[in-house]
Amino acid sequence: MNPLADRIRPQTLDDVVGQTHLLGKGALLRRVVESGQIPNMIFYGPPGTGKTTVASIIANSAGKTLHKLNGTTASTSDIKSVVGELDTFAGVGGVLLYLDEIQYLNKKQQQSLLEFIENGQITLIASTTENPYFYVYNAILSRATIFEFKPVSKDEVKKAVERAFRIIGEERGAPLDIEDGVCDHIAQLCGGDVRKAINAAELLSLAAKDGRVTLADAREAAQRSSMKYDRDGDEHYDILSALQKSVRGSDTDAALHYLARLLEAGDLISPCRRLLVMASEDIGMAYPLAAVIVKSCVDSAMQLGLPEARIPLAQAVITLCTAPKSNSGVIAIDKAMADVEAGMVYEIPAHLRDSHYKGAAKLGRGNGYLYPHDFKNHWVKQQYLPDKLKGRQYYQFGPNKTEQAAKAYWDKVKGESKE
């Protein structure tokens, strides 16, 4: 017997759980489907959100010869077989190719479809759990419309779970006795993945004693299943991005939440590296000591390992969130890098060049250099940038207390030297 998720797969768009932003009345994808003119489309989103279901519904109503391929198993000969049908009677009205997990096809395989997609002989509906902008060939992307599928809400998943238990009861000839809280628990811990929720319902029904599904069994079946995480996928970088933006926005609670998600997934290296970057990128000159504190916390975390590592890393996150913010340092180095990358690498002034070798003076190396420590306040005016960059300014003091104090000091020192 097929898995329950396949047996109860929706047959119409109205039966699909969630995705109202795409399939609700008046939504763009629904209007496109109802027009009867199916364009090339790519469905992108997490597993169990209805991509395959919606693609199948559209394909079955398209009135074209339908071919289904899966990128994990499809070979070049499979693609050639689809293309070869275009010149036969079966391909007269065009072919609709449903390609699941397109990210697993290599560039050459994707390119082999391009000519036929462009002239309309093949209409492509592809689905992927990975960001298509990273994994799908650009020429395919430019000829397709991308629709993003979102994780299904808890309430919608609960409806699917209740429907699953009801159908299981019908198949076995007697309704299941579902303990209060079972459906809510499955819906909560399946992370918006309807397929996972239905699979959990099927598993619990098989294990049910005398037809009773208990909350204790549901907790065991669904434990940790809400953690959607792939260290090489979008979820990984999305969490890291959210962590840094929460720190930058001084939201301690949000930052701790995203740190916890990384640590719960067993990822210690990524948050450590990102916290080290944040200390200089987002706090920087407003509180330079933050870099020292975070380095110490990271070192402690790496020596301790999980679960104890959570404590110094939480300290680092709270320190960064509550610290004053400045990005003046990263702005300054980016400006300097931009000039260097643009080829603005001019001759170093002679008085700054190395003079620690015999004959340097004859070449003019170091001649005229003024040693700042010999002057009041250990500063003396002289040129340091190359002639063609004289007067160029990369760093500007930020408005925070620390940088403004430094600015006041140097304004005074440099002002005194001019008197």
Side-chain angles (χ1 to χ4, degrees), residues 4 19 31 77-78 81 85-86 107-108 118 146 150 156 189 193 240 245 258 345 360 363 366 377 415:
L4 179 64
Q19 312 310 329
R31 284 186 281 130
S77 62
D78 293 326
S81 177
E85 193 171 295
L86 295 175
K107 184 176 179 180
K108 184 176 181 180
E118 192 165 31
I146 296 174
K150 307 286 188 180
E156 292 293 330
L189 290 187
D193 186 331
L240 286 174
K245 288 172 181 173
Y258 294 117
V345 284
L363 296 174
N377 295 317

Side-chain angles (χ1 to χ4, degrees), residues 271-286:
C272 285
R273 295 181 69 241
R274 187 59 67 100
L275 287 168
L276 289 169
V277 170
M278 284 187 272
S280 295
E281 180 179 352
D282 295 307
I283 286 75
M285 299 305 299

Side-chain angles (χ1 to χ4, degrees), residues 247-304:
V247 168
R248 185 181 295 149
S250 302
D251 191 324
T252 308
D253 299 316
L256 287 170
H257 168 77
Y258 294 117
L259 173 65
R261 286 170 66 165
L262 291 163
L263 298 181
E264 180 67 13
D267 189 351
L268 180 57
I269 301 296
S270 296
C272 285
R273 295 181 69 241
R274 187 59 67 100
L275 287 168
L276 289 169
V277 170
M278 284 187 272
S280 295
E281 180 179 352
D282 295 307
I283 286 75
M285 299 305 299
Y287 184 44
L289 192 58
V292 179
I293 295 172
V294 170
K295 178 63 165 62
S296 179
C297 289
V298 165
D299 286 347
S300 295
M302 295 303 293
Q303 289 181 11
L304 290 169

Side-chain angles (χ1 to χ4, degrees), residues 270-385:
S270 296
C272 285
R273 295 181 69 241
R274 187 59 67 100
L275 287 168
L276 289 169
V277 170
M278 284 187 272
S280 295
E281 180 179 352
D282 295 307
I283 286 75
M285 299 305 299
Y287 184 44
L289 192 58
V292 179
I293 295 172
V294 170
K295 178 63 165 62
S296 179
C297 289
V298 165
D299 286 347
S300 295
M302 295 303 293
Q303 289 181 11
L304 290 169
L306 291 169
E308 290 84 357
R310 75 190 189 284
I311 301 171
L313 291 187
Q315 179 183 346
V317 163
I318 295 169
T319 297
L320 295 182
C321 282
T322 56
K325 305 297 188 292
S326 174
N327 67 339
S328 59
V330 70
I331 289 175
I333 187 60
D334 284 350
K335 287 181 179 179
M337 293 292 292
D339 277 358
V340 171
E341 289 170 3
M344 300 169 69
V345 284
Y346 307 119
E347 186 174 350
I348 298 171
H351 62 281
L352 298 183
R353 299 174 74 172
D354 180 29
S355 60
H356 293 85
Y357 58 92
K358 188 176 181 179
K362 293 181 180 179
L363 296 174
R365 306 293 192 261
N367 292 349
Y369 172 64
L370 302 177
Y371 188 58
H373 298 300
D374 289 339
F375 296 84
K376 181 181 178 181
N377 295 317
H378 302 264
W379 184 84
V380 62
K381 185 176 182 179
Q382 66 183 324
Q383 181 181 332
Y384 291 96
L385 279 169

Side-chain angles (χ1 to χ4, degrees), residues 161-279:
V161 173
E162 291 171 340
R163 177 171 175 257
F165 279 132
R166 186 174 63 253
I167 291 175
I168 292 171
E170 292 171 355
E171 290 179 345
R172 66 195 297 269
L176 292 165
D177 180 12
I178 311 298
E179 184 178 347
D180 289 344
V182 167
C183 294
D184 282 305
H185 188 75
I186 295 174
Q188 178 67 42
L189 290 187
C190 284
D193 186 331
V194 177
R195 185 189 303 111
K196 184 182 290 185
I198 293 174
N199 288 343
E202 184 175 28
L203 174 67
L204 290 170
S205 67
L206 293 173
K209 293 182 179 180
D210 300 322
R212 179 163 176 76
V213 178
T214 66
L215 183 56
D217 283 345
R219 285 173 175 157
E220 185 174 352
Q223 62 182 333
R224 296 175 63 90
S225 62
S226 63
M227 284 300 299
K228 300 195 301 348
Y229 189 77
D230 179 354
R231 294 190 190 187
D232 295 321
D234 283 355
E235 190 75 9
H236 169 78
Y237 296 105
D238 286 347
I239 295 175
L240 286 174
S241 176
L243 170 62
Q244 181 161 5
K245 288 172 181 173
S246 298
V247 168
R248 185 181 295 149
S250 302
D251 191 324
T252 308
D253 299 316
L256 287 170
H257 168 77
Y258 294 117
L259 173 65
R261 286 170 66 165
L262 291 163
L263 298 181
E264 180 67 13
D267 189 351
L268 180 57
I269 301 296
S270 296
C272 285
R273 295 181 69 241
R274 187 59 67 100
L275 287 168
L276 289 169
V277 170
M278 284 187 272

